[in-house]
Amino acid sequence: MRVRLDKYLSDHTELTRSQAKKAVRDGRVRVNGELVTKGDDKVSFSDSVFLDQSQISGGVYQYMMLNKPAGVVSATSDDEHRTVMECILGGVDQASGRPPSYVAKDLFPMGRLDKDTEGLLILTNDGPLAHRLLSPAHHIPKTYYVELDAAVDESDVQSMRSGIDIGEKRPTRPAEMEILSEHSCFLTISEGKYHQIKRMFGCLGKRVVGLKRVTMAGLALDETLAAGEWRFLTEEEIAYLKGI
Ligand code: URA
């Protein structure tokens, strides 16, 4: 939902509506790093709004998608390896081309990808949303592009569909496999066991040599993001995730 900036300011600060209008006219307000001088400009909850030096969109959650590169760990801090958080802090929002004026300190990756896995990783500080979507009961689908050291065929598609005993309590849930070439496929799984895809293919006698997540919960990786790049989720993408 988008609201007028002056209304947004008076809703989120001590300013009255007329004081908010004046603050905007006086050049005290920045939206996503840009000075805004018209109170009737519209902002949404995903915009970062600053009055003077203070972020007044306090309590607002941030959501970004990162094209995680290989070699980076899905953690906020690590003594040894570069983290996904460092990718965010060291980069710019590719949608606007600017570094964000504010990055929430409590961001965390929504789920994990192995260090050598690439692709879609959502970061947020919206704990309730992440908790809900990641709950094992939710079974959100995740699609991976997989490259293998051996040829795949229809019998693998059947095995993936039937479930595979990877040594957990139960076989894996049915997974949809689409063969792309002799040595590559898309695989959609709806759970997230440790090294799950590598273990599933391992049971079929094949080694995963390349793994990239391309969709999660119906949200596709923005293909304009090079490895290591990120952007804020759009308002539509956030609303979509909240609606799942
Ligand atoms: N399955 C894996 O084996 N690794 C990942 O990073 C994700 C799914």
Side-chain angles (χ1 to χ4, degrees):
M1 199 184 62
R2 296 177 74 75
V3 295
R4 287 173 57 108
L5 179 57
D6 48 20
K7 174 164 170 38
Y8 187 92
L9 281 168
S10 61
D11 285 347
H12 289 82
T13 69
E14 303 293 289
L15 298 182
T16 62
R17 189 70 175 267
S18 58
Q19 287 168 333
K21 282 186 182 156
K22 183 163 182 327
V24 176
R25 273 201 311 272
D26 290 349
R28 294 172 56 200
V29 180
R30 281 177 300 122
V31 177
N32 300 327
E34 300 273 20
L35 188 68
V36 176
T37 50
K38 289 209 291 296
D40 59 357
D41 277 1
K42 297 273 175 41
V43 290
S44 74
F45 60 85
S46 56
D47 289 315
S48 113
V49 181
F50 273 70
L51 173 65
D52 301 323
Q53 297 309 309
S54 330
Q55 192 190 26
I56 54 103
S57 47
V60 171
Y61 293 134
Q62 291 191 320
Y63 308 85
M64 39 266 269
M65 76 159 66
L66 168 71
N67 183 357
K68 177 192 168 301
V72 164
V73 291
S74 302
T76 48
S77 69
D78 190 281
D79 290 340
E80 235 181 294
H81 303 107
R82 187 169 155 79
T83 65
V84 291
M85 196 63 190
E86 288 170 64
C87 294
I88 300 289
L89 293 173
V92 298
D93 167 30
Q94 293 295 321
S96 66
R98 288 188 302 271
S101 45
Y102 166 82
V103 172
K105 289 194 181 59
D106 51 352
L107 276 189
F108 59 88
M110 215 163 92
R112 284 175 180 272
L113 292 175
D114 295 342
K115 186 168 151 235
D116 55 353
T117 301
E118 300 174 27
L120 175 61
L121 193 69
I122 295 168
L123 289 103
T124 185
N125 55 344
D126 184 343
L129 177 83
H131 188 258
R132 195 167 59 75
L133 291 185
L134 294 176
S135 119
H138 216 96
H139 301 313
I140 59 164
K142 290 162 280 191
T143 302
Y144 294 81
Y145 168 74
V146 192
E147 283 179 357
L148 298 136
D149 71 338
V152 282
D153 61 27
E154 269 309 308
S155 71
D156 300 318
V157 175
Q158 287 310 322
S159 303
M160 291 295 184
R161 197 168 286 153
S162 312
I164 296 180
D165 179 2
I166 57 170
E168 298 282 336
K169 270 196 213 119
R170 293 191 193 85
T172 52
R173 289 172 51 78
E176 238 356 270
M177 175 170 159
E178 183 191 340
I179 296 176
L180 297 172
S181 72
E182 204 180 358
H183 285 172
S184 68
C185 65
F186 284 131
L187 186 70
T188 303
I189 59 175
S190 55
E191 54 198 338
K193 303 269 186 299
Y194 180 66
H195 290 339
Q196 177 157 344
I197 292 182
K198 293 171 186 162
R199 288 161 70 197
M200 289 167 88
F201 277 107
C203 290
L204 302 179
K206 296 166 220 283
R207 195 166 64 83
V208 171
V209 294
L211 191 57
K212 178 175 181 179
R213 182 152 69 194
V214 291
T215 75
M216 177 170 176
L219 212 70
L221 174 67
D222 183 335
E223 287 297 341
T224 65
L225 295 176
E229 289 183 345
W230 64 272
R231 68 161 171 78
F232 282 113
L233 291 192
T234 64
E235 216 176 343
E236 287 75 25
E237 288 167 336
I238 296 167
Y240 169 75
L241 283 182
K242 290 186 171 195
I244 294 176

